[in-house]
Amino acid sequence: MSRIPEAYEVSDGAGVTIPAQYAESWEDGFGVRGWKLDLPGRGADVIAATPYTGERIPTSVFVHDIVDHHLCGFALSGYVDEAGALIQLAERTGSDPVADFVQIIDEDLLPGLFESDDWRELLPDSLVAEVEAAPDARSGMARLRELWGDGVLRALWIAGFVETGWGLAARAREAWERHGLDYARRAATARALQRLFERVDATVLDQGWSRARGVFRVAPAGVGFCFEEPAAGRGEYLPVTDD
């Protein structure tokens, strides 16, 4: 890695810096290797990420957290914020968000294992009242499943996610543009961040570092990363291109 060019380090008022931390094994109950954004609103359910992209989407979960969550003004935890971020992901990649919504629904919502109180915003008021009338969320959701069946409830949850996420699209654009970034170039910015993230992650592996931290910077013309520990000042810059 080379040092970030001086012209990149001097801000023209556009762009944003995003701190991140790396651990070869996080002491968070998951114990996996990878990176986490060091941001307010990073809940305990945020798992460390590597540059792995999966099969459906050409960018990693870590890039999703930057591009579709943070830069769009969405927290990293919470069902409403996830709804908004997944709609942004779908729009910039052409992917279908339903599979991600269904995973959340089947793992958290149908069993009544709510991670945040904003689940209420995704269901009709009459069903929310049914759940709240029960002794606890698990028994409330169990009762709804007996009454309506998983298929109907899953469809209602999906509809709630899509409607909520779609309704937050204008807010996401405004947040992106407040950073001085071009909303229309989100996909290109995400691709550049993915390439950069791959290089940064390869550096910690090549160096054998067990811990590291640094700062990503996203600006209209390019993206960069500068290590703060253990190799302060070491970094790299990549331009945002439309290829």
Side-chain angles (χ1 to χ4, degrees), residues 50 88 122 127 243:
T50 65
Q88 292 300 304
L122 306 177
L127 298 188
D243 53 62

Side-chain angles (χ1 to χ4, degrees), residues 15-73:
V16 61
T17 56
I18 307 160
Q21 298 182 24
Y22 168 82
E24 64 180 3
S25 179
W26 284 85
E27 298 175 359
D28 58 0
F30 299 106
V32 299
R33 183 191 81 83
W35 295 81
K36 293 187 182 187
L37 299 180
D38 189 13
L39 294 171
R42 187 187 78 190
D45 58 329
V46 175
I47 303 173
T50 65
Y52 175 71
T53 62
E55 298 178 356
R56 295 185 297 118
I57 296 169
T59 50
S60 61
V61 171
F62 189 79
V63 170
H64 167 61
D65 287 347
I66 293 176
V67 173
D68 305 307
H69 277 271
H70 183 61
L71 295 179
C72 288

Side-chain angles (χ1 to χ4, degrees), residues 180-225:
L181 302 173
D182 185 351
Y183 184 79
R185 301 193 75 199
R186 281 160 40 252
T189 301
R191 290 193 299 271
L193 273 170
Q194 177 64 28
R195 293 192 294 269
L196 175 68
F197 182 36
E198 290 170 0
R199 296 189 185 190
V200 171
D201 189 63
T203 295
V204 299
L205 289 175
D206 291 344
Q207 297 297 318
W209 295 332
S210 61
R211 295 286 189 275
R213 65 181 181 89
V215 177
F216 285 89
R217 179 159 177 79
V218 183
V223 298
F225 181 83

Side-chain angles (χ1 to χ4, degrees), residues 144-163:
L144 283 187
R145 296 171 80 173
E146 290 176 5
L147 290 172
W148 295 100
D150 286 2
V152 169
L153 291 175
R154 188 178 290 110
L156 287 170
W157 282 115
I158 292 170
F161 270 115
V162 173
E163 181 179 5

